[in-house]
Amino acid sequence: MKVVHSWLKELVDIPDDIEGVAHTLSDVGLAVESVDNVGATVAGVITARVIKTERHPDAAKVHRVFLEIGDGQEHHVWCGAFNMQPGDVIPWATPGTQMPDGRLIETKPIVGIPSEGMCCSARELGLGDDHSGILIMDSDTPLGVPYGRALGLAEETVYDLDVLRNRPDAYGHVGVARDLAARFGAALRAPSGRLQPSGPTTSATVDIVATDRCPRFTSLIISGVRVAESPDWMKSRLSAAGMRPINNVVDVSNYVMLETNQPNHAYDFATLGGGGFRVRVARDGESMVTLDGVERTLTPGDLLICDAADRPIGIAGIMGGQNTEISATTTTVALEAAYFEPVGIMKSVQRLGLRSEASARNERGIDPLGIDASVARFVELLRITCPDLVVHDGFVDARTESFPVAPTIPVRPERVSALLGRTFTAAEIADAIAPIGFTTETSGAVLSVSVPSWRPDCTLEIDIVEEVARLFGYDNLGRTVPKSTLPGGLSPVQQRRRRVREILLGLGLDEAMPHPFLTDGDLERAGLASDAVRLVNPLVVGDDVLRTSLRPGLLKAIAFNESHRRSDIGFFEIGHVYPPSGDVLPAEYEALGVVISGAEAPVAVGIWRELVSSMGWGARLDQSVVPAGLHPTRSATLSAGKDLIGVVGEIHPDVLDAYGVTERVAVLEVNLSVLLGSEPKVAQWKPTSKYPSSDFDLAFTVPADVTAEKIEKALRQAAGSLLVSIELFDVYRADGGGDSRSLAYRLRLQAADRTLTDADVAGVRDKCIAAAAKLSASLRT
């Protein structure tokens, strides 16, 4: 957020000490990232008109631009930007110009043809961040004069603030000035004019269909408009704040937004079908062309501003449409200023990939009661260039039941004191927050704080504590060492997580930490659904997919090791995954993933059972549902009650082929948040038997539709308390498959009080055979 020093001085009396003001801004929580002097013109850059442009067969990335500056001569420049047309007036850096980045502009040849200087973009001249093309100036700009004089630039000091999402009010100069006024003990001169209609009743009707998405929508008809240039001081401030001046109507709209934090939009009333507005959600597949000339395809999640004929004329809170923009022939405008539900705007911004100055404010939340003052400010400023302006009676103010109401928060002075490490009385708290618009009433030992409408971020007592700390000054709080009667230590969940790590390391697995962000196709390659949450600003271009499973990263690690001739390795990872929830935030949880190359499904089941035994967990294996990305006959889901908590088995052969892995890979993946959050069963001590154990093997022919887990469960129940362990040590399927397979189990029996006789073992063996027979399993002989 760029804040102009001279603009702030109009709103509040602050010192001329730039460094001191910057320090104060940072101290009240508006961190100053840089202080820049903008508007200082570059000597040697003058205005020039494009005569013509030509392409050269030997220069594919540049074209020839022929310029005139009113001296009767033609000047030639090679340029890599192609947004110019004959007749455009542009800034031209003449040979010998020293650019702000240190470059010296000289006459240099390309393919043997000299280039006299350089055509300049806005960023190259320090007029903002736009480097998409050459800066196009007004067509009636005088030629051959310094570009700064033509643009009416004045040198300005600009503070570049890092405004956090919890300070939506600080996206306007008034909000920043309010904090400075509180710190310096000065009066705030915020615009507070009132509308004074001066013409007959004319109004633009308002029909809010999407009542939950648009709590307030206002419209005002203004005639007597004459589209012209803005005053030099306004153009200078807009340029310093990073916005390109266009014309007086658009500039006033932008100026009011930057000053009051209230986005607004002026429509050409003559192009408004039906003479009114209709606010509704978009139809699936509906499209419109926005002011940037791009056709946008919309979904029912997007909010539209339409005219009374139901024609889309703007994406609400983000950008207006090209079909009603202000033109040179505009004489009457319909001014719209509204309050939109912030979360819906944020979702549309992400879905459309369309971010604007208006959306940056609407998605954070603006002042629903500040519309009246901002509309009056718009009229006040537009009247400077339009002296015959007529404000028509008939201001429409439509509100719905979802109109937000600022809360009243109970605040305990003793709680404020405990958190900030200094004693604060109720009076001190009230005095600290009163200058920024918070009002208070005392009721016993509790302070009732009424939050101003421009601070939607303040909803809890801790928010008021933060405001007190900000305005009192963090440096003034002093330093204290927190006192506690409780010693430090790990929480039960942390202790359990550490125990899980120890178990897995003890089983010979290595902990891996793959990259948590995925690229397009990673989820599909792992056999998982492609639906995922995407990052708007990834650290690495392309790595913008939040993982929904730990498997893609672990499989990449297996594939990397196999490509380096390292086989039979096992990895585990404990990390967070982010499946989409249908809401703003994903359904994030902590997961455990285990992969072992060169191993089959029973190895993964064995690891799970070791965790179950050590941690006191419990879950049911179910092979009736094939987990995504896993082998259709060698995998199962893990369920606790009705809740799915994980999967176990082998990776699907197609997935292994996609990763270039030739060995089988056993896999276990569980929801660790659920498991660690549950209280484990208390382990019961059992004495170790001093009597010998007895082993016997059973091999069954089992129908293909009967799972090995069911057979094992039946054998465990039949063997009873004498069973020490059971192991599936062989699986055989005849060539061609068939409808059955052979499963061979080894059972170990041991009694705690005696040596087992042959009759004891034979009795258990017969019970096991009979139990398996109930599942249509026959003993192989």
Side-chain angles (χ1 to χ4, degrees):
M1 168 68 184
K2 296 183 183 298
V3 177
V4 183
H5 182 80
S6 64
W7 205 334
L8 289 176
K9 291 204 69 169
E10 275 192 5
L11 299 170
V12 62
D13 292 328
I14 56 176
D16 290 325
D17 178 11
I18 302 299
E19 186 175 343
V21 172
H23 176 77
T24 301
L25 286 169
S26 295
D27 196 42
V28 296
L30 303 175
V32 178
E33 294 191 326
S34 65
V35 179
D36 305 306
N37 290 320
V38 301
T41 58
V42 181
V45 180
I46 61 176
T47 57
R49 177 177 284 113
V50 177
I51 302 173
K52 62 179 179 178
T53 63
E54 290 181 0
R55 300 300 297 266
H56 192 284
D58 297 329
K61 296 183 179 180
V62 293
H63 65 149
R64 305 178 67 185
V65 181
F66 296 87
L67 305 172
E68 64 170 337
I69 59 172
D71 59 357
Q73 299 184 26
E74 185 177 88
H75 303 273
H76 170 263
V77 179
W78 286 99
C79 184
F82 294 84
N83 64 317
M84 295 168 286
Q85 297 179 356
D88 286 344
V89 178
I90 64 171
W92 171 46
T94 57
T97 300
Q98 187 81 37
M99 299 299 292
D101 60 5
R103 284 180 296 167
L104 178 64
I105 304 301
E106 299 176 317
T107 300
K108 294 183 178 179
I110 297 179
V111 295
I113 304 174
S115 178
E116 303 175 57
M118 182 181 74
C119 304
C120 301
S121 69
R123 190 171 74 183
E124 287 167 332
L125 298 174
L127 298 178
D129 298 324
D130 187 6
H131 195 55
S132 59
I134 300 305
L135 175 63
I136 307 299
M137 305 169 71
D138 292 336
S139 58
D140 57 352
T141 300
L143 303 180
V145 301
Y147 76 98
R149 185 195 309 168
L151 292 175
L153 297 180
E155 190 168 353
E156 296 277 9
T157 299
V158 178
Y159 306 97
D160 192 354
L161 306 184
D162 179 18
V163 181
L164 303 179
R165 294 190 69 89
N166 69 328
R167 286 299 309 279
D169 61 306
Y171 271 80
H173 280 70
V174 170
V176 177
R178 183 180 291 113
D179 277 5
L180 290 175
R183 175 55 65 89
F184 289 119
L188 176 67
R189 296 184 291 270
S192 58
R194 298 178 60 86
L195 276 179
Q196 299 292 335
S198 56
T201 300
T202 303
S203 61
T205 60
V206 175
D207 178 19
I208 304 178
V209 180
T211 56
D212 58 328
R213 298 284 302 275
C214 180
R216 187 182 185 190
F217 193 100
T218 69
S219 69
L220 177 69
I221 304 302
I222 306 171
S223 62
V225 174
R226 181 177 61 86
V227 177
E229 281 194 42
S230 297
D232 288 345
W233 62 267
M234 181 176 290
K235 291 194 293 184
S236 176
R237 284 187 178 173
L238 289 173
S239 297
M243 302 199 76
R244 182 171 65 91
I246 298 175
N247 59 53
N248 57 338
V249 179
V250 177
D251 292 351
V252 166
S253 175
N254 289 333
Y255 191 95
V256 170
M257 177 181 66
L258 294 177
E259 183 175 74
T260 66
N261 195 40
Q262 173 62 57
N264 58 87
H265 193 82
Y267 297 87
D268 188 333
F269 188 57
T271 65
L272 205 62
F277 296 98
R278 191 165 189 263
V279 185
R280 62 170 175 85
V281 295
R283 303 181 183 96
D284 195 22
E286 192 170 12
S287 64
M288 67 168 292
V289 179
T290 46
L291 281 172
D292 56 0
V294 178
E295 184 174 3
R296 311 281 178 179
T297 302
L298 309 169
T299 70
D302 302 315
L303 187 65
L304 286 180
I305 298 175
C306 305
D307 58 18
D310 207 33
R311 177 188 56 154
I313 58 175
I315 304 175
I318 302 176
M319 187 175 287
Q322 207 174 49
N323 48 8
T324 54
E325 68 177 324
I326 301 299
S327 67
T329 60
T330 299
T331 58
T332 303
V333 300
L335 179 65
E336 164 259 311
Y339 174 82
F340 302 107
E341 188 270 320
V343 175
I345 301 298
M346 180 174 63
K347 289 182 177 180
S348 289
V349 167
Q350 294 174 345
R351 183 166 45 247
L352 297 171
L354 177 61
R355 189 170 297 276
S356 64
E357 290 286 346
S359 70
R361 290 160 173 80
N362 282 310
E363 70 180 19
R364 287 164 173 79
I366 60 173
D367 180 5
L369 298 180
I371 291 176
D372 305 82
S374 64
V375 170
R377 181 64 166 160
F378 180 96
V379 172
E380 176 188 353
L381 293 173
L382 187 58
R383 188 165 271 131
I384 296 173
T385 53
C386 301
D388 299 326
L389 202 69
V390 176
V391 178
H392 289 267
D393 198 5
F395 176 69
V396 178
D397 186 353
R399 306 190 188 195
T400 70
E401 294 180 354
S402 59
F403 189 84
V405 177
T408 298
I409 303 172
V411 176
R412 298 160 294 174
E414 66 272 15
R415 182 59 177 162
V416 176
S417 302
L419 288 172
L420 299 184
R422 180 192 180 278
T423 301
F424 281 91
T425 64
E428 287 177 319
I429 294 173
D431 291 342
I433 60 180
I436 56 172
F438 290 78
T439 59
T440 58
E441 290 184 6
T442 304
S443 176
V446 177
L447 201 63
S448 294
V449 178
S450 297
V451 178
S453 57
W454 57 80
R455 291 300 302 273
D457 56 297
C458 290
T459 58
L460 303 171
E461 181 183 43
I462 192 64
D463 298 323
I464 306 302
V465 176
E466 181 184 0
E467 294 304 302
V468 173
R470 270 194 331 108
L471 297 167
F472 183 77
Y474 290 104
D475 291 341
N476 298 327
L477 290 174
R479 296 182 176 91
T480 58
V481 177
K483 297 178 181 179
S484 174
T485 58
L486 299 176
L490 298 177
S491 68
V493 170
Q494 291 172 326
Q495 292 173 1
R496 294 167 197 158
R497 185 186 297 113
R498 179 172 291 186
R499 177 65 179 149
V500 169
R501 276 196 170 92
E502 291 172 350
I503 294 168
L504 296 172
L505 291 171
L507 291 171
L509 301 176
D510 294 314
E511 184 169 9
M513 297 183 67
H515 192 50
F517 305 121
L518 307 178
T519 60
D520 280 327
D522 280 352
L523 290 171
E524 295 94 324
R525 194 156 57 127
L528 301 169
S530 60
D531 188 22
V533 177
R534 290 183 175 270
L535 297 174
V536 176
N537 54 342
L539 296 175
V540 178
V541 176
D543 290 354
D544 61 346
V545 179
L546 286 178
R547 62 185 179 183
T548 59
S549 167
L550 301 180
R551 272 179 270 164
L554 291 172
L555 287 173
K556 285 182 182 179
I558 292 288
F560 175 83
N561 279 273
E562 183 172 318
S563 69
H564 288 70
R565 305 178 68 180
R566 298 189 186 99
S567 58
D568 300 329
I569 54 176
F571 293 123
F572 76 91
E573 180 187 4
I574 296 175
H576 286 246
V577 295
Y578 309 87
S581 65
D583 203 349
V584 178
L585 297 177
E588 178 183 356
Y589 65 87
E590 188 175 26
L592 165 66
V594 177
V595 291
I596 308 170
S597 65
E600 300 182 357
V603 176
V605 175
I607 291 174
W608 167 245
R609 285 185 175 152
E610 189 66 37
L611 288 169
V612 167
S613 174
S614 301
M615 300 298 298
W617 297 336
R620 185 182 72 258
L621 272 74
D622 182 6
Q623 285 190 272
S624 63
V625 178
V626 179
L630 268 60
H631 197 290
T633 61
R634 296 169 180 247
S635 60
T637 59
L638 296 169
S639 301
K642 296 182 179 180
D643 298 325
L644 179 68
I645 63 168
V647 296
V648 64
E650 286 183 28
I651 297 295
H652 197 290
D654 292 345
V655 173
L656 296 178
D657 290 341
Y659 281 90
V661 176
T662 59
E663 299 179 294
R664 286 184 174 182
V665 176
V667 62
L668 168 67
E669 188 170 14
V670 294
N671 185 329
L672 208 55
S673 292
V674 172
L675 294 172
L676 294 180
S678 60
E679 191 70 30
K681 296 178 181 178
V682 179
Q684 298 293 326
W685 175 81
K686 291 182 180 180
T688 302
S689 176
K690 62 182 180 180
Y691 298 100
S693 60
S694 298
D695 294 358
F696 64 88
D697 296 345
L698 294 173
F700 298 100
T701 301
V702 183
D705 60 348
V706 178
T707 65
E709 187 265 339
K710 288 184 178 180
I711 297 294
E712 182 177 327
K713 183 178 181 180
L715 295 178
R716 285 181 179 275
Q717 291 176 344
S721 60
L722 294 179
L723 181 67
V724 175
S725 66
I726 182 171
E727 176 190 0
L728 175 65
F729 67 87
D730 184 60
V731 179
Y732 173 76
R733 191 185 299 273
D735 293 340
D739 57 359
S740 63
R741 67 197 189 283
S742 172
L743 302 179
Y745 292 89
R746 176 165 294 130
L747 289 79
R748 174 165 295 175
L749 307 181
Q750 190 177 29
D753 57 350
R754 70 187 190 281
T755 299
L756 295 176
T757 64
D758 290 343
D760 291 331
V761 175
V764 172
R765 185 177 184 276
D766 292 341
K767 289 180 181 179
C768 289
I769 295 171
K774 294 180 180 179
L775 296 174
S776 303
S778 59
L779 184 68
R780 292 183 61 194
T781 57

